[in-house]
Amino acid sequence: MPERTQSAPRIDEFDIRALPKAEVHIHLEGSFALIDILTLAKESGSALPGPASTIFDITTHGAYAAPEVTTGGGSGVGAGGLTGFLGFLDWQCGLVRTREQAARIAYSFAARQSSAGVRYSDVIVNPTHWNAWRGRELELMDAFAAGFDDAEQDGLCVTNMAYSLLRSQSAIEAEDIVGALVAARPRRVVALSVDGDEKVSGRTGEKFQNAFAAAASAGFHRTVHAGESSGPEGVWDAIDLLQAERIDHGVRAIEDPALIKTLIDREITLGVCPRSNVSLGIYRDWQSHPLPRLLDAGVAVTLNTDDPAPLGTTLDADWAVAATEFGFTYDDLAGFAERSIDASFANDDLKATLHSELQTTIAEHS
């Protein structure tokens, strides 16, 4: 990797968007545009959890910087921190009640990704947030797939889904979910995931070990949220117990040299999201973030947004900030693009196409 300097010239976001890339750590629940929320609320006759101007603050300036918003259940966003943020996600996802609305959200996601220069996405979907679809989770997946089908047909970002368990679910629930996924093989569901607050739930690797083993045996990919609010032990559990091919976050691995070696030896990629980590207080600022140290150690790292709408960002914007904060060059960002394609769960043909287009883009830039 080229030597980085803090005085590296600013990279134009047009050049960042032009790099063919994948995003591998992003949640559908955290990708609602303001117009999506306002339209869904109007369609359902639901009152906004505060003035429209406050919803604007949440979806454009970031939930963590926004004034407190209370939902019907009293959860605050902004001043409410992570709990309030999750409460807001539950409220907005609860507005999606029909197949057509779900397909529209999926199409809107693909359009948003395309506008940031993303060509392929592994989007994480946790059905526990979508309360109108309880007991009909596979129907929800199919509705999203229909929207992603339409988006791909229209030339937008190709999107597949990682079905995510919630850490607070039981082992039996997880095994039943995987059994249903294996039996139904829902379209565009290519991976099993698990997310939720590690600090609250504690170590859950052993609880979900059988579910992830069944998913692996059935040919589903595995990606696990770990090493965010937990330390390196969460990443070890993801690797040793859940057969993780990719780690979502994983930044706390920097604290354990043996874990760093294991990540390198097993070629396990970290889907890192600096803005999210800083917003949630995992690190105090961008300069404290271990992203450069992980790269220098030889870990395969991709740069992602996590929940871009409530964090008030897009992938191209975060790549530009990373370039400024860490002194990344254009070649560094091309490396992020290359690793994102490699780490994605796209099929081999699409990966080959994206790699070819990436090399052409880099040559034309030189």
Side-chain angles (χ1 to χ4, degrees), residues 17-356:
R17 286 190 292 273
L19 287 166
K21 65 182 73 65
E23 185 164 18
V24 300
H25 183 176
I26 182 169
H27 297 258
L28 188 59
E29 295 85 7
S31 303
F32 282 51
L34 175 62
I35 189 62
D36 296 328
I37 296 173
L38 297 179
T39 301
L40 288 166
K42 186 170 293 187
E43 289 174 348
S44 65
S46 299
L48 298 175
S53 60
T54 303
I55 304 299
F56 173 80
D57 283 338
I58 293 172
T59 56
T60 58
H61 300 143
Y64 303 105
E68 183 165 5
V69 177
T70 56
T71 67
S75 298
V77 177
L82 179 59
T83 299
F85 168 56
L86 295 175
F88 182 79
L89 293 187
D90 287 342
W91 174 79
Q92 68 168 18
C93 292
L95 298 174
V96 178
R97 299 169 187 176
T98 70
R99 179 180 176 84
E100 292 73 23
Q101 289 172 332
R104 192 171 71 223
I105 287 296
Y107 190 100
S108 177
F109 171 87
R112 179 188 177 102
Q113 291 294 89
S114 295
S115 69
V118 181
R119 299 286 301 282
Y120 174 84
S121 298
D122 287 321
V123 68
I124 301 161
V125 181
N126 189 320
T128 63
H129 290 294
W130 309 77
N131 54 58
W133 297 83
R134 285 178 186 152
R136 299 186 298 136
E137 289 84 1
L138 295 186
E139 293 179 40
L140 178 63
M141 298 296 108
D142 191 66
F144 288 145
F148 293 137
D149 287 346
D150 288 344
E152 183 174 347
Q153 185 174 348
D154 289 346
L156 297 176
C157 175
V158 178
T159 304
N160 287 324
M161 293 177 279
Y163 189 114
S164 194
L165 306 173
L166 188 64
R167 289 187 187 279
S168 59
Q169 291 179 291
S170 69
I172 295 298
E173 286 178 292
E175 290 162 28
D176 287 346
I177 288 168
V178 172
L181 293 175
V182 172
R185 298 284 174 173
R187 292 181 306 122
R188 293 186 180 268
V189 175
V190 298
L192 183 67
S193 172
V194 59
D195 62 13
D197 192 335
E198 296 174 276
K199 192 171 184 179
V200 171
S201 301
R203 297 176 75 166
T204 55
E206 187 172 349
K207 177 171 69 170
F208 294 130
Q209 187 171 5
N210 289 340
F212 271 80
S217 295
F220 286 96
H221 293 288
R222 286 86 56 209
T223 181
V224 177
H225 279 63
E228 181 189 20
S229 57
S230 75
E233 68 276 5
V235 182
W236 280 117
D237 286 352
I239 296 170
D240 293 338
L241 300 179
L242 302 183
Q243 305 179 46
E245 299 169 82
R246 204 170 64 207
I247 303 294
D248 295 321
H249 294 301
V251 287
R252 300 284 298 280
I254 196 66
E255 301 165 18
D256 185 343
L259 178 54
I260 292 293
K261 184 177 186 303
T262 297
L263 292 171
I264 295 168
D265 290 346
R266 300 192 192 181
E267 299 181 338
I268 296 172
T269 301
L270 304 184
V272 172
C273 308
R275 186 183 298 274
S276 175
N277 297 155
V278 171
S279 295
L280 285 172
I282 307 300
Y283 298 100
R284 67 179 181 272
D285 53 32
W286 284 72
Q287 287 298 309
S288 305
H289 198 279
L291 172 58
R293 287 183 286 150
L294 289 165
L295 288 170
D296 290 342
V299 179
V301 178
T302 61
L303 180 55
N304 309 270
T305 57
D306 200 2
D307 293 289
L311 290 172
T313 193
T314 59
L315 189 63
D316 52 331
D318 275 6
W319 281 34
V321 173
T324 299
E325 293 290 339
F326 302 128
F328 290 144
T329 65
Y330 180 86
D331 287 344
D332 290 328
L333 297 187
F336 278 113
E338 183 173 23
R339 288 190 298 275
S340 73
I341 297 167
D342 288 336
S344 78
F345 298 144
N347 63 47
D348 290 342
D349 287 345
L350 180 54
K351 284 187 176 184
T353 296
L354 293 178
H355 275 303
S356 177

